[in-house]
Amino acid sequence: MAVNKKAEKESVIVKETVQQNPNIVDAVWDGWMNSVKTIYAYQREIENITLQTLDRQKDLWTKTAENIEKTEQELKKFLEEARVTYQSNIKNVGGEQAGQIVQDWLGRLDEISARIQQLTWTPGKASINVINKSQEQVELSVKSLIEQQQRTREEVQNLMDNFLNQVKSTQKGLIESFEANKNNTINMFK
């Protein structure tokens, strides 16, 4: 009788283990999959931060170019106003002939000023244009890379989901088979 009670007790334990083990299999593999999904979430966050950084850089360069253009326009306006004021003052003080001489002299000064501006502003503008083009190319490359990563993640995710479902069902089947064989072995010794 003690043997039968022991066999019955072991049979109850075996049934509980069979019911718990599939849940353990699910818990282990689901935990692993959640870790992978967490890594994917971090990757998406890094992608978003990268895109935001590129947008900020683009805005910075756009504002820099606008500020350079604005400064150049203000300088041209200031020089034109100064020239007109100076020419008017000379004409009023020195007469028409002095005004003509100053006008010729200011014409040469305008040419020199235009060349100086061209020499000073052109490299800066060219640099900004090169930087803008580079920025656009980097942005396109990064966006393309991110899109490819997203497609790859989705493909891998689908493959892993299918793989995990197969592994889970195989492991559950092995556990059930093991438990059934164990029960048959115990029943043989009753």
Side-chain angles (χ1 to χ4, degrees), residues 67-130:
N67 287 338
I68 288 173
E69 183 68 29
K70 183 179 176 183
T71 301
E72 183 179 5
Q73 294 303 320
E74 287 175 3
L75 182 60
K76 284 181 181 180
K77 182 180 175 184
F78 172 76
L79 290 175
E80 179 63 27
E81 288 174 0
R83 187 178 73 73
V84 168
T85 302
Y86 183 71
Q87 187 177 2
S88 175
N89 288 340
I90 293 295
K91 198 178 208 182
N92 290 338
V93 172
E96 194 66 39
Q97 187 178 9
Q100 185 61 37
I101 293 170
V102 169
Q103 187 175 356
D104 291 342
W105 181 77
L106 287 176
R108 291 181 191 137
L109 188 60
D110 286 343
E111 288 176 23
I112 293 170
S113 176
R115 287 183 184 170
I116 290 172
Q117 286 179 1
Q118 184 179 12
L119 290 173
T120 56
W121 295 111
T122 301
K125 286 181 179 180
S127 296
I128 288 177
N129 286 337
V130 167

Side-chain angles (χ1 to χ4, degrees), residues 99-169:
Q100 185 61 37
I101 293 170
V102 169
Q103 187 175 356
D104 291 342
W105 181 77
L106 287 176
R108 291 181 191 137
L109 188 60
D110 286 343
E111 288 176 23
I112 293 170
S113 176
R115 287 183 184 170
I116 290 172
Q117 286 179 1
Q118 184 179 12
L119 290 173
T120 56
W121 295 111
T122 301
K125 286 181 179 180
S127 296
I128 288 177
N129 286 337
V130 167
I131 290 170
N132 283 338
K133 295 290 183 195
S134 297
Q135 179 75 21
E136 289 172 7
Q137 290 173 352
V138 167
E139 187 175 0
L140 289 173
S141 296
V142 168
K143 284 181 179 180
S144 175
L145 177 65
I146 288 172
E147 289 172 4
Q148 180 60 41
Q149 284 179 331
Q150 290 170 346
R151 285 191 299 270
T152 301
R153 266 197 310 268
E154 290 171 5
E155 290 173 11
V156 170
Q157 179 74 38
N158 290 334
L159 291 172
M160 285 194 313
D161 287 341
N162 290 335
F163 173 74
L164 286 180
N165 288 334
Q166 290 175 2
V167 167
K168 285 180 188 180
S169 65

Side-chain angles (χ1 to χ4, degrees), residues 18-82:
V18 168
Q19 292 171 351
Q20 290 174 353
N21 283 338
N23 293 334
I24 290 171
V25 169
D26 286 339
V28 168
W29 287 110
D30 289 346
W32 182 80
M33 192 60 185
N34 285 336
S35 297
V36 171
K37 289 179 180 179
T38 301
I39 290 169
Y40 285 171
Y42 284 128
Q43 286 176 338
R44 283 189 292 276
E45 185 64 25
I46 289 170
E47 291 167 356
N48 289 335
I49 290 169
T50 301
L51 291 174
Q52 290 171 0
T53 301
L54 287 173
D55 285 342
R56 287 182 187 140
Q57 283 179 336
K58 186 177 181 179
D59 290 343
L60 176 67
W61 286 115
T62 301
K63 288 178 183 177
T64 300
E66 289 171 359
N67 287 338
I68 288 173
E69 183 68 29
K70 183 179 176 183
T71 301
E72 183 179 5
Q73 294 303 320
E74 287 175 3
L75 182 60
K76 284 181 181 180
K77 182 180 175 184
F78 172 76
L79 290 175
E80 179 63 27
E81 288 174 0

